[in-house]
Amino acid sequence: RYTVPLDDRGSHWAVALEKQNGSFNAGIFKEIAPGLADTLQPKSKAPDVVARWRTENDWGHFQAAGVARLLTVEAADNAELRGEQDEFGYGINLTGIINVFDRDQVKYGLTWGEGIASFINDGGGSNLAPELVGTVAQATTMESWGYMLYYDHYWTDEWSSSIGLSQNFNDLTNLQLTDQPETVTYMSTNLFYSPSPEFVTGFEALYGELETADGSSGSDFRIQFVTRYNFSHKF
């Protein structure tokens, strides 16, 4: 990674090369031709190129990032389909924090691209998937987009909460299985107590919902508790 500072506040731009995390979803071929599906594997031929620009201000910060990647699927163990197919993937990510009242903050993010499913946490989907174009099945990048919006509020110096939601949407191809994730929704809120920088305790309530391509859906709810103490010593 190469980083260029822009000011004393932390504003900067950067460019990086990253090891690729590829994935290929064989779609309906898993059911109608499992032997063929097993021979189709993602291949990393080049690193991902990632660029980022970030500005820091009194009101908060804003960051814009993008990725360009060469995605490849190969059928090395299949005599009839031996070879490789390359597809170009790309994506943009806009995130930031807005300072509002006292220590309260609004946090937001927006992501969109094709072939970027491996960058989206808990969003499902795949970078590459088969698609029927005319009478020919070929690998294509899957389009994904999502957003995140949260609000952090400090009730007192020791008590704080966050509340918000995020969603991810996948534009599935016409040869993917209908049980694949199409829409993922996630919401959470919490209450934390931190009387000192070293100690924090609290609980969080989380709700998630999954919708698949065939219209099926399911949801779940959980509560989790946490207590953390940071041991430190300065010489």
Side-chain angles (χ1 to χ4, degrees):
R1 182 178 65 185
Y2 182 72
T3 304
V4 179
L6 299 177
D7 56 37
D8 295 334
R9 292 182 172 183
S11 301
H12 64 271
W13 70 264
V15 61
L17 300 179
E18 296 184 0
K19 180 181 177 180
Q20 187 178 108
N21 180 14
S23 67
F24 174 73
N25 187 324
I28 64 172
F29 293 108
K30 292 180 180 179
E31 293 186 348
I32 65 175
L36 169 63
D38 291 340
T39 68
L40 302 175
Q41 300 293 332
K43 181 179 180 180
S44 178
K45 297 171 62 175
D48 296 336
V49 180
V50 182
R52 177 180 70 191
W53 172 75
R54 180 183 177 110
T55 178
E56 295 277 357
N57 297 277
D58 293 336
W59 51 262
H61 78 256
F62 174 75
Q63 177 173 289
V67 61
R69 52 196 331 216
L70 178 65
L71 299 165
T72 303
V73 60
E74 65 173 349
D77 297 329
N78 188 292
E80 297 180 358
L81 297 176
R82 189 183 304 274
E84 301 174 352
Q85 181 183 337
D86 297 330
E87 288 290 315
F88 179 69
Y90 57 91
I92 58 173
N93 180 236
L94 307 177
T95 58
I97 291 178
I98 301 175
N99 299 323
V100 284
F101 311 105
D102 297 326
R103 298 168 63 186
D104 287 14
Q105 293 181 326
V106 175
K107 300 179 179 179
Y108 62 91
L110 178 65
T111 301
W112 173 82
E114 294 189 5
I116 60 168
S118 56
F119 286 96
I120 301 177
N121 188 35
D122 296 333
S126 300
N127 297 317
L128 288 173
E131 184 172 37
L132 187 63
V133 180
T135 59
V136 179
Q138 62 185 39
T140 187
T141 53
M142 193 192 72
E143 182 180 4
S144 301
W145 74 276
Y147 69 90
M148 177 272 293
L149 182 63
Y150 268 79
Y151 186 84
D152 292 350
H153 175 66
Y154 283 83
W155 305 99
T156 66
D157 291 339
E158 295 83 16
W159 292 91
S160 64
S161 295
S162 295
I163 186 170
L165 79 158
S166 64
Q167 283 190 298
N168 182 66
F169 306 89
N170 298 314
D171 186 9
L172 303 178
T173 68
N174 53 23
L175 289 182
Q176 286 186 260
L177 294 173
T178 57
D179 63 353
Q180 293 299 297
E182 192 169 52
T183 303
V184 179
T185 303
Y186 182 82
M187 293 181 283
S188 67
T189 187
N190 55 45
L191 179 64
F192 285 101
Y193 174 65
S194 181
S196 69
E198 293 79 17
F199 177 78
V200 61
T201 186
F203 73 93
E204 187 169 39
L206 307 99
Y207 171 81
E209 184 176 278
L210 170 67
E211 298 180 21
T212 58
D214 63 1
S216 301
S217 64
S219 61
D220 204 359
F221 175 82
R222 75 175 186 263
I223 295 179
Q224 59 189 26
F225 298 87
V226 63
T227 297
R228 184 185 69 206
Y229 184 83
N230 295 326
F231 295 91
S232 63
H233 181 76
K234 296 183 180 180
F235 294 94

